[in-house]
Amino acid sequence: MSEIRSFPRSRSEPQKRILLVPVFLLAIGSAMLLVPGLQFIGVILSLTGVLTFFLVGMVFADLWAAHRRTKQLVRNREARGLETRDDEDLDKDPFEETLGDE
């Protein structure tokens, strides 16, 4: 029997707090532009914030799409009457070796 697994191992929705990182970078960088000795660092932080908008947005969009796909797969499986396996062994590492177990 083959097993289908989508990308996220959990069914929880991605956190939206990560979207605040670029906002904080831009705000701090813009505030530093007003301080005469810290203008160069402020420009660097502001530009980092602008680039981070795109990177964080792409990662969040990918996680959000994977979460929606996982929910849809679970709904389809339950509609067909198939049982959906919960991932209870999230803490176990499949590559971890135990000593004395041969």
Side-chain angles (χ1 to χ4, degrees):
M1 182 174 153
S2 66
E3 184 175 319
I4 298 174
R5 173 182 294 285
S6 57
F7 171 68
R9 294 194 72 157
S10 69
R11 294 184 187 165
S12 61
E13 204 170 311
Q15 298 286 327
K16 293 181 180 157
R17 290 184 306 214
I18 195 165
L19 296 174
L20 292 176
V21 171
V23 173
F24 284 136
L25 283 172
L26 276 170
I28 292 170
S30 298
M32 290 176 86
L33 285 174
L34 301 175
V35 179
L38 301 174
Q39 291 174 345
F40 180 73
I41 297 171
V43 168
I44 299 297
L45 282 178
S46 295
L47 289 175
T48 304
V50 170
L51 290 175
T52 312
F53 260 120
F54 296 110
L55 296 175
V56 168
M58 286 189 293
V59 169
F60 185 80
D62 185 40
L63 289 174
W64 182 68
H67 170 69
R68 288 191 52 181
R69 183 169 184 266
T70 300
K71 281 176 52 176
Q72 186 63 36
L73 285 172
V74 168
R75 272 193 239 124
N76 289 344
R77 287 182 62 81
E78 289 173 353
R80 287 187 279 162
L82 299 173
E83 129 183 0
T84 303
R85 182 176 64 90
D86 288 331
D87 293 329
E88 297 172 359
D89 59 343
L90 291 176
D91 296 331
K92 293 174 68 177
D93 186 5
F95 301 107
E96 182 179 351
E97 296 179 10
T98 55
L99 296 174
D101 192 25
E102 308 212 15

